[in-house]
């Protein structure tokens, strides 16, 4: 038996060996075993002592332990792999009344049912459902949403698409929809070597903070439709790509004060909102 880690629990390698947690690719399992790195991720989420934290995919519990050590009032963690539950139960026993583990698919769990108020989301997301979860969290009807901030690990390329600015290759629908109602930062990137097993690509932490009010007024569903039409044919001029909205796009482009020759990737979020308002008005 090796020495205990700073939080008084066994080192993660030992936890993984004891519970037979060989990583499964099908569950997007790339574990973080370096407690200095998980502590750094927890710090990127800011103060935790006065909030609940919602974590998706705690796995063997490296990030969960960092969140608890950082003083999180309570962590509510959803894990699909039942092999991890015993290891997580040991963490829960070490931090009485501060960790609740929900066994299940995060796509089927409603966080609001388990939280007592606004929470911070912190997660090293399984890459196969990360974008889908993000789209849900940024896409709700209620704003501000149930989360106060979301500090999330993504593949770097996805992180760049979330944080992208106009006139860049990475700028698209995800950037517009994320930044319309949240500020987005990338505090740091993480090398593949930090994970067990190492993924093929570099990862990055993305931090989203909901804006009190959207950047510009727009109906969400219309904005989603306009950005889908515009970016589905991102090389085409808007007078062509927006035909997918039905009807002639030119009156809407004129009303939004946007030249009809422009392409989707040149539009600011405010300009997309102006277009959405025109389409919504009919
Ligand atoms: N948090 C751990 C860490 O940082 O080492 C593990 C992160 S690993 C990238 C992703 C975790 O999400 C795995 O533990 C995996 O079992 C879990 N997972 C995969 N699909 C899930 C789902 N649909 N719902 C909940 N958890 C899921």
């Amino acid at each position: 038996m090796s020495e205990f880690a700073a939080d008084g629990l066994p080192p993660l390698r030992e936890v993984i060996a004891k519970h037979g947690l060989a990583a499964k690719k099908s569950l997007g399992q790339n574990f973080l075993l370096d407690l200095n790195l998980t502590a750094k991720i927890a710090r990127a989420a800011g103060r935790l002592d006065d909030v609940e934290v919602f974590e998706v995919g705690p796995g063997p519990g490296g990030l969960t332990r960092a969140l608890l050590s950082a003083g999180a009032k309570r962590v509510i963690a959803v894990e699909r792999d039942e092999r991890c539950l015993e290891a997580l139960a040991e963490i829960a026993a070490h931090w009485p009344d501060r960790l609740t583990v929900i066994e299940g698919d995060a796509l089927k769990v409603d966080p609001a049912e388990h939280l007592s108020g606004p929470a911070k989301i912190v997660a090293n997301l399984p890459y196969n459902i990360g974008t889908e979860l993000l789209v849900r969290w940024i896409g709700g009807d209620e704003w501000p949403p149930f989360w106060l901030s979301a500090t999330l690990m993504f593949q770097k390329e996805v992180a760049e698409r979330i944080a992208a600015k106009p006139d860049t290759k990475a700028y698209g629908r995800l950037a517009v929809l994320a930044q319309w109602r949240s500020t987005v930062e990338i505090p740091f990137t993480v090398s593949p070597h930090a994970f067990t097993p190492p993924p093929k690509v570099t990862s990055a932490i993305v931090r989203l903070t909901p804006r009190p009010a959207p950047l510009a007024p727009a109906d969400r569903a219309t904005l989603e439709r306009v950005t889908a039409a515009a970016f589905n044919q991102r090389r085409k001029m808007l007078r062509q790509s927006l035909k997918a909205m039905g009807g002639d796009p030119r009156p809407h482009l004129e009303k939004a004060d946007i030249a009809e020759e422009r392409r989707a990737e040149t539009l600011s979020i405010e300009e997309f909102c102006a277009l959405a308002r025109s389409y919504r008005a009919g």
Side-chain angles (χ1 to χ4, degrees), residues 97-167:
D97 300 324
R98 286 180 56 201
L99 172 61
T100 304
V101 179
I102 302 161
E103 183 191 358
D105 180 350
L107 292 172
K108 295 188 183 141
V109 169
D110 177 4
E113 276 180 21
H114 303 276
L115 298 166
S116 53
K120 290 189 172 181
I121 307 175
V122 185
N124 173 14
L125 292 171
Y127 74 95
N128 43 348
I129 60 163
T131 312
E132 186 169 348
L133 283 170
L134 177 73
V135 166
R136 286 186 189 191
W137 293 331
I138 61 175
D141 280 326
E142 269 179 41
W143 208 266
F146 77 87
W147 45 279
L148 298 163
S149 66
T151 305
L152 308 169
M153 180 88 78
F154 282 101
Q155 295 174 327
K156 182 165 170 259
E157 176 259 324
V158 178
E160 285 170 351
R161 285 203 284 123
I162 300 165
K165 297 294 171 207
D167 289 313

Side-chain angles (χ1 to χ4, degrees), residues 230-266:
F231 284 109
N232 276 351
Q233 294 182 294
R234 61 186 292 143
R235 309 250 163 273
K236 297 241 167 87
M237 294 179 195
L238 289 164
R239 68 169 175 237
Q240 176 62 33
S241 56
L242 287 176
K243 281 184 185 163
M245 292 289 289
D248 184 354
R250 283 174 298 188
H252 296 291
L253 287 162
E254 196 175 305
K255 204 163 154 195
D257 202 18
I258 297 167
E260 56 184 72
E261 299 80 19
R262 287 177 61 190
R263 292 173 172 79
E265 68 184 31
T266 71

Side-chain angles (χ1 to χ4, degrees), residues 195-253:
F195 299 86
T196 303
K200 289 204 176 68
V201 294
T202 300
S203 299
I205 291 290
V206 181
R207 183 173 52 223
L208 296 102
T209 311
R211 300 179 194 276
L215 210 51
D219 170 64
R220 180 182 55 83
T222 314
L223 184 63
E224 285 180 4
R225 287 205 303 127
V226 168
T227 49
F231 284 109
N232 276 351
Q233 294 182 294
R234 61 186 292 143
R235 309 250 163 273
K236 297 241 167 87
M237 294 179 195
L238 289 164
R239 68 169 175 237
Q240 176 62 33
S241 56
L242 287 176
K243 281 184 185 163
M245 292 289 289
D248 184 354
R250 283 174 298 188
H252 296 291
L253 287 162

